[in-house]
C-alpha cells in the first residue's frame, strides 16, 4: 500500500510508532552522553542509607498493615495503604541499588554508622534524633523506630485507641526517616540517592502534617 492510500488508522499508527522510536533514540543518546556516577563503596553513606532505610521502611509497612486490621476508619486505612505501598516500593528500589553497585545487602559495620560520621565540610546542619533502647536489650539505633513492645501494644489495640497509637508512632517514625534522608543528602554524591532522599523528605513531611491533624481529631 502506498503512503497516499493508507487508512487514517494505519497512518496514525505509523506516526505514533515513528514518534516512539525517535523518543527512544533520544533517550538512549542521552544516557550514553550523560555523566555516570561512580558506584559507592560498601562503607559509603549511600550504601549505609540504602541498607538502613530498607529496615526503617519495612517497619513502616508493618505498622501500616497492623492498623489496617485494627480500624474501620477509611481515612486511616487509605493513609496506611499509601504509606505501605510507597515505602515498599522505595525499599525495593534501595535493594536494587545495592545489587547494581555490586555491594552486599548485609552491612560490614554496625547499622547507622554512616549517619554518625561527620559530613563533608564538618557538621551537617541538621539535628538528628538520638538512638533509644529496645526493651529487650537490643539498641534501636535508627531514629523514630518503634520498639517491639510498642508494636505489640498497637496489635492489642483497636478502634480509636489503635488509631491514636498508630499516628503517634508513625509521626515519630516519619520524623526519623526525614532525619536519615537529610543526613544522606549532606553526605551523598550519587544523584539517584539524592533524588530519593528529597522525595522521602517531601512526602513524609506532608504525611506528618496530615497525621498531626488526624491525631488532633482524636
Amino acid at each position: 500500500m502506498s503512503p497516499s492510500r493508507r487508512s487514517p488508522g494505519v497512518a496514525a499508527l505509523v506516526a505514533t510508532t515513528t514518534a516512539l522510536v525517535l523518543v527512544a533514540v533520544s533517550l538512549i543518546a542521552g544516557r550514553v552522553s550523560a555523566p555516570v556516577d561512580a558506584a559507592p563503596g560498601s562503607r559509603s553513606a549511600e550504601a549505609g542509607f540504602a541498607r538502613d532505610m530498607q529496615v526503617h521502611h519495612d517497619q513502616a509497612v508493618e505498622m501500616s498493615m497492623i492498623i489496617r486490621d485494627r480500624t474501620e476508619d477509611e481515612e486511616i486505612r487509605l493513609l496506611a495503604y499509601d504509606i505501605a505501598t510507597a515505602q515498599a516500593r522505595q525499599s525495593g528500589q534501595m535493594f536494587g541499588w545495592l545489587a547494581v553497585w555490586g555491594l552486599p545487602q548485609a552491612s560490614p559495620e554496625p547499622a547507622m554508622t554512616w549517619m554518625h560520621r561527620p559530613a563533608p565540610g564538618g557538621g551537617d546542619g541538621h539535628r538528628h534524633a538520638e538512638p533509644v533502647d529496645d526493651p529487650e536489650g537490643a539498641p534501636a539505633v535508627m531514629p523514630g523506630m518503634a520498639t517491639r513492645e510498642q508494636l505489640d501494644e498497637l496489635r492489642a489495640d483497636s478502634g480509636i485507641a489503635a488509631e491514636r497509637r498508630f499516628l503517634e508512632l508513625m509521626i515519630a517514625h516519619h520524623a526519623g526517616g526525614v532525619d536519615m534522608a537529610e543526613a544522606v543528602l549532606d553526605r551523598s554524591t550519587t544523584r539517584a540517592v539524592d533524588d530519593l532522599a528529597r522525595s522521602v523528605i517531601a512526602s513524609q513531611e506532608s504525611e506528618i502534617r496530615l497525621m498531626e491533624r488526624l491525631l488532633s481529631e482524636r
Side-chain angles (χ1 to χ4, degrees), residues 98-182:
L98 292 167
V100 169
W101 296 338
L103 302 179
Q105 296 292 331
S107 178
E109 54 192 2
M112 301 306 298
T113 301
W114 65 272
M115 190 169 167
H116 297 291
R117 293 192 184 105
D124 58 16
H126 297 300
R127 180 177 63 82
H128 302 300
E130 292 297 321
V132 298
D133 289 331
D134 184 286
E136 296 186 16
V141 296
M142 295 179 197
M145 290 284 279
T147 64
R148 285 187 279 271
E149 181 182 33
Q150 288 172 324
L151 293 178
D152 289 342
E153 290 169 348
L154 178 60
R155 289 188 182 95
D157 286 336
S158 61
I160 292 178
E163 294 163 13
R164 286 187 57 84
R165 193 179 300 274
F166 168 76
L167 292 167
E168 290 166 352
L169 292 176
M170 193 61 82
I171 288 169
H173 197 273
H174 269 22
V178 169
D179 280 346
M180 292 169 69
E182 289 177 338

Side-chain angles (χ1 to χ4, degrees), residues 15-125:
T16 301
T17 302
T18 301
L20 290 174
V21 169
L22 291 173
V23 169
V25 170
S26 66
L27 289 173
I28 292 169
R31 287 179 181 175
V32 170
S33 61
V36 178
D37 291 323
S42 196
R43 288 179 168 79
S44 65
E46 293 93 334
F49 173 79
R51 295 180 181 115
D52 292 338
M53 191 60 99
Q54 284 185 68
V55 176
H56 203 270
H57 274 18
D58 289 349
Q59 189 183 77
V61 173
E62 180 182 6
M63 288 195 290
S64 297
M65 293 299 96
I66 293 171
I67 193 60
R68 279 177 59 82
D69 293 334
R70 311 304 299 164
T71 181
E72 298 298 326
D73 185 277
E74 286 305 314
E75 193 167 16
I76 296 290
R77 286 174 62 84
L78 178 60
L79 170 65
Y81 176 80
D82 288 345
I83 290 172
T85 53
Q87 299 211 11
R89 182 175 63 251
Q90 290 175 348
S91 185
Q93 184 176 354
M94 290 180 282
F95 183 97
W97 287 345
L98 292 167
V100 169
W101 296 338
L103 302 179
Q105 296 292 331
S107 178
E109 54 192 2
M112 301 306 298
T113 301
W114 65 272
M115 190 169 167
H116 297 291
R117 293 192 184 105
D124 58 16

